[in-house]
Amino acid sequence: MAKATRKKTPVAPMIEFSRSRDIPFNRIHLSDSNVRQIDVEDGLDELTHDIDRREDIVQGLNVRAVLDADGAETGDFETPAGGRRYRAIARLVQAGRFPADGLVPCLVKKANAKTSAVDDSYAENVIRLALHPLDQFKAFKRMVDDGMSKEEVADAYRTTPRYIAQRLRLARVATSLLDVYARGEMTLAMLEAFTVNPHHARQEQVWEAIQRSHNRQPWHIRDLLTETTVPTDDKRALFVGVDAYEQAGGVMLRDLFSDEDEGWLENPELLDRLVSDKLKAIADEVAAEGWKWVAVDTDLPYGHDRGLRILAGTFLDLTDAERATREALREEYERLEAENADYDELPDDVDARLGEIEAALAAFEKRPTIYDEAEIARAGVFISIGRAGELVVARGYVRPEDEAPVDVEGQDNAGDGEPGAETGAVAAHAGVQRAVITIGGEPVDAEDDEDETIKPLPERLVIELTAHRTLALHEALANNPHVAMTTLLHRMVMERYHYSAPTGCLEISVRQPYLSTQGNDLGETPSAKAIGERYDAWKADMPTDEGALWDWLAALDDASRMALLAHCVSYGINALYERPNPHSGSGVSQHGLDRRLSGADRIARATGFDMVVDGGWRPTVSNYLGRVTKPRILEAVREGAGERAAQLIGHLKKGDMAKEAERLLADTGWLPEPLRLADLDGDVAGAEGGGEAQELPDFLADDEDDGDGTDDTDTADLDDERHLAAAE
């Protein structure tokens, strides 16, 4: 039987590429086979500029030999693929930048090519892949890193330095977010929004947050990335000026992708200090006019002038020269208007001059107001910032208690002529009186004031202290599952029986309060570190899939479930003090603030929480002692270390006093009012440390003069204040 013959698979012939060679440019011609026939001149300026800049071409021409009637090569060539490069070289020849017979690298199509010239032209124009934007960003960055300036890169690619700066900013976004963009999980607009904040950790934090949100719009991303900053259109920024802020070391965040060139000031504390310093300098100038008081605030409270009498002053008359100048300006204004009445739009120089005249005439209308010296001495001034960042100075307000007393016949009783007399007399000359300047309700240079009255704590300090307490209560509640469960049940029952029921199946959420105002030391506290470690530990064990997470939670033992519940519920604690707002629906009401602080006390009491032992808080120069008045420092030392210690440091300047107070109070367990736990009867627990005086350095121990001006009066009888009273 014959053996069957096995068929062999045909073998494809090996590919042989066309050869490259240099051809004089004047022997090459455009081919009619080139498929690009529309808008052939588009982009030629950029391509010509690029070849001229490089003095070379990146890709050669694709050419075919021109044959005569007998099929023999003529020595000329046509280019069906590479027409734009051919036209760009032709422009360079015309400009004298390239010789007409100069050699051009070409890929010469072989004579037996399987494809036509039209096929080659179409393939070159269609079978191409545009560069991914991320590759473009990185390419620009590598060029700059290799030594090119933004301007050089922009000139090379016929664009603007701003465009290059935008792409460089995109290339500097966190690597993890660039990977997300490369995978197509983020739009270019979203990536652009992330460039507003250069901190990669914050970028990643915001991305993590918006992944669980339905709102992933670029504007929302920008809002989250700039929520702790101050926009440049804020009146404080307008008042100080961005240039002054940056000269003082402030950092700016700028949005390169906005037409309005938006920006944000990243250091609000520095901005507030600059605002305060500028307002203080202005207040000093105004105070030199002889007013009794000057009240300064960026935002004067609603009704701040209620019940005050406004002084009626007179205006300083114009001099003859000023009147003549004013009339000349008016005549010039009318003449320019008449001469240009036929213009639909005024010439720039005329428009500018009219603006100058208007400003000069307005200055004549704002004449200084003259007040009676006796009235100045009993009146005050309000200084604030307007909505557009302009300075607002309102002079001449008299408080009821500063009015001169009236005798039975209706005549003013000026007393005996001495300033501050019991009869209510005022200084006869405005320059004699030293005005009392307050900024934000706090007296300026309070540490140099001889008045040893214990004044309320600054509101910002109370907010910072209660931020410490809020974070520490998070930690305390997370470590007490029983109280956490009680807290959660209390919330649920209150919603079920006292307020409207939640919609849906079960929509109870824990919203973590945002600690917008906090000291620099908050992140280094034991509570903050413990919370972060516990968060990471739970996250490492949890599956990310929603279904798998449910199964994982269901399989946890009761102790682990309670611990996780306490951990999650703890984030909802808000023990922050904030200024009540009785005038609108925004903010917290006084009743709501009272309930918040009493609830914080309830949880602190139930967990056995202690700000010193558990929260790790100690009074230091930076977090308390350097930010309160000298009487406050002495009160703290008196309560924590004893009367003897307070007496020994009473003669020191504020800076030295604060440093010594920090040492004396280090291990006493003393706490300021906002951090103390209120007893059930309303008294503040832990108001007196009762400690003995510690040993002082020799330079303090040797200086025990009883006549140093300190008040040795026993201050053990303290006011029964709660948290809110400290900031009233």
Side-chain angles (χ1 to χ4, degrees), residues 132-145 150 153 162-179 181-182 186 188 190-198 200 203 256-257:
H132 192 283
L134 183 56
D135 292 328
Q136 182 197 46
F137 310 158
K138 293 180 178 179
F140 286 153
K141 183 177 185 300
R142 291 175 64 180
M143 293 178 197
V144 173
D145 291 343
K150 292 193 292 290
V153 177
R162 178 181 174 84
Y163 179 84
I164 301 300
Q166 289 175 339
R167 269 52 205 165
L168 293 176
R169 181 78 68 85
L170 287 167
R172 295 189 179 97
V173 173
T175 303
S176 60
L177 299 189
L178 293 179
D179 294 340
Y181 173 61
M186 178 191 302
L188 178 59
M190 294 169 64
L191 185 66
E192 291 173 351
F194 277 101
T195 64
V196 75
N197 191 320
H200 288 178
Q203 293 174 359
L256 295 183
F257 298 90

Side-chain angles (χ1 to χ4, degrees), residues 571-587:
Y571 281 104
I573 294 297
N574 185 354
L576 279 174
Y577 169 83
E578 60 182 285
R579 180 184 297 178
N581 187 355
H583 302 296
S584 69
S586 61

Side-chain angles (χ1 to χ4, degrees), residues 345-507:
E345 186 174 341
L346 293 174
D348 291 341
D349 57 337
V350 175
D351 187 52
R353 178 53 185 163
L354 290 176
E356 294 173 356
I357 296 174
E358 289 174 352
L361 291 174
F364 283 113
E365 303 301 325
K366 297 178 181 179
R367 305 293 293 171
T369 306
I370 302 175
Y371 299 99
D372 180 81
E373 288 186 350
E375 290 279 65
I376 287 179
R378 65 164 59 93
V381 182
F382 291 108
I383 298 178
S384 63
I385 304 174
R387 292 183 178 181
E390 74 279 11
L391 178 68
V392 178
V393 180
R395 294 175 172 84
Y397 290 84
V398 182
R399 295 166 175 164
E401 60 269 26
D402 294 330
E403 295 284 8
V406 179
D407 61 18
V408 294
E409 296 181 359
Q411 299 296 323
D412 287 348
N413 184 352
D416 57 6
E418 292 294 329
E422 293 183 0
T423 57
V426 296
H429 299 285
V432 176
Q433 181 170 263
R434 179 185 178 186
V436 176
I437 301 176
T438 59
I439 298 180
E442 295 295 322
V444 177
D445 299 330
E447 62 270 21
D448 297 327
D449 197 343
E450 296 301 325
D451 182 10
E452 299 198 9
T453 304
I454 302 298
K455 298 178 175 62
L457 293 176
E459 182 180 79
R460 180 182 175 85
L461 178 57
V462 174
I463 297 174
E464 289 187 12
L465 293 174
T466 52
H468 272 279
R469 190 170 192 245
T470 298
L471 198 64
L473 277 174
H474 288 185
E475 173 66 7
L477 191 64
N479 288 300
N480 198 319
H482 178 76
V483 178
M485 178 64 80
T486 303
T487 303
L488 179 59
L489 289 173
H490 180 268
R491 171 68 176 167
M492 295 171 64
V493 171
M494 289 293 290
E495 287 189 350
R496 177 63 183 85
Y497 292 97
H498 299 276
Y499 301 98
S500 59
T503 58
C505 178
L506 181 65
E507 294 187 356

Side-chain angles (χ1 to χ4, degrees), residues 6 87 150 224 266 312 321-322 335 340 362 375 380 411 555 679:
R6 186 175 182 182
R87 290 183 173 88
K150 292 193 292 290
L224 293 176
E266 194 178 25
E322 288 173 331
R335 177 177 57 79
N340 297 273
E375 290 279 65
Q411 299 296 323
D679 289 339

